[in-house]
Amino acid sequence: DAKTTQPPSMDCAEGRAANLPCNHSTISGNEYVYWYRQIHSQGPQYIIHGLKNNETNEMASLIITEDRKSSTLILPHATLRDTAVYYCIVRDAGGTSYGKLTFGQGTILTVHP
Amino acid sequence: GAGVSQSPSNKVTEKGKDVELRCDPISGHTALYWYRQSLGQGLEFLIYFQGNSAPDKSGLPSDRFSAERTGGSVSTLTIQRTQQEDSAVYLCASSFRQGRGDTIYFGEGSWLTVV
């Protein structure tokens, strides 16, 4: 499995952009980068995913470096409800791994007033 | 349904009893995953289904744990002779196919407490 490295915690002021980094230096060419978040112990919530192009949806933007060895999740206007654990996951390319998600420890993002 | 549905949402059971946890995936989703998360811990993969088959059971912690899926839809995770260390939230997830680019959606989980 390609592994990811994330800072254990980050702070962000409400209304400002939250930029969450992730390193995945051993990613393979056909593996996607996925982001999920988890609030308390609710089920993980899907945020966004991408292969090599930058992606944007109603929740966030995903910026992937050209060499694909790192990425950044951007929450453009963080709110208090964005306080959660954010997981950056490189998804197994299928085959015997069957595309399961392997969760690390994630980044605890705290949005403060 | 609109999302992955799990039941019961909460279950308290006595040590040694058997429990069944149910997962209704999103309609049309052929891939189904079970995870568990102990208090303060990360998510741990348990088992994967493609249709009714379980090609990856590598995460099941012991032979007290089993799962089945019928009709390519509903899945049941069974824990026999529960132990206190089985206390956790059990999460089910589903996706349309096994592909790399699809989205896996999670349910809200079944909280299991073994007393």
Side-chain angles (χ1 to χ4, degrees), chain B residues 29-114:
Chain B
H29 281 194
T30 61
L32 186 146
Y33 307 81
W34 282 98
Y35 287 78
R36 78 173 175 179
Q37 187 172 31
S38 302
L39 189 63
Q41 302 298 310
L43 282 92
E44 175 188 7
F45 168 79
L46 298 178
I47 188 170
Y48 161 77
F49 285 92
Q50 180 59 40
N52 291 336
S53 300
D56 188 354
K57 307 178 182 179
S58 62
L60 294 178
S62 75
D63 59 8
R64 296 187 295 105
F65 288 72
S66 63
E68 66 175 10
R69 190 178 185 193
T70 57
S73 180
V74 172
S75 177
T76 302
L77 178 69
T78 301
I79 308 172
Q80 295 179 311
R81 305 181 302 282
T82 53
Q83 304 295 313
Q84 288 184 329
E85 60 263 28
D86 299 335
S87 296
V89 58
Y90 289 82
L91 292 155
C92 179
S94 72
S95 68
F96 180 62
R97 63 181 189 277
Q98 184 188 308
R100 298 185 295 276
D102 64 339
T103 301
I104 298 178
Y105 296 96
F106 283 80
E108 289 303 317
S110 291
W111 287 81
L112 175 65
T113 303
V114 182

Side-chain angles (χ1 to χ4, degrees), chain A residues 51-95:
Chain A
L51 183 62
K52 50 186 175 183
N53 297 323
N54 297 338
E55 302 287 344
T56 295
N57 62 21
E58 65 278 4
M59 288 184 68
S61 294
L62 175 60
I63 308 298
I64 302 174
T65 59
E66 191 170 346
D67 63 7
R68 301 187 70 238
K69 293 185 177 182
S70 66
S71 61
T72 301
L73 178 75
I74 301 172
L75 306 178
H77 305 288
T79 70
L80 299 179
R81 283 183 284 188
D82 292 323
T83 293
V85 181
Y86 286 77
Y87 297 98
C88 170
I89 303 164
V90 171
R91 187 170 179 195
D92 295 347

Side-chain angles (χ1 to χ4, degrees), chain A residues 7-21 37 72-84 86 107-113:
Chain A
S9 63
M10 294 184 64
D11 289 336
C12 179
E14 189 177 20
R16 304 297 293 269
N19 297 283
L20 289 85
R37 72 181 183 184
T72 301
L73 178 75
I74 301 172
L75 306 178
H77 305 288
T79 70
L80 299 179
R81 283 183 284 188
D82 292 323
T83 293
Y86 286 77
T107 296
I108 301 171
L109 174 68
T110 303
V111 181
H112 52 86

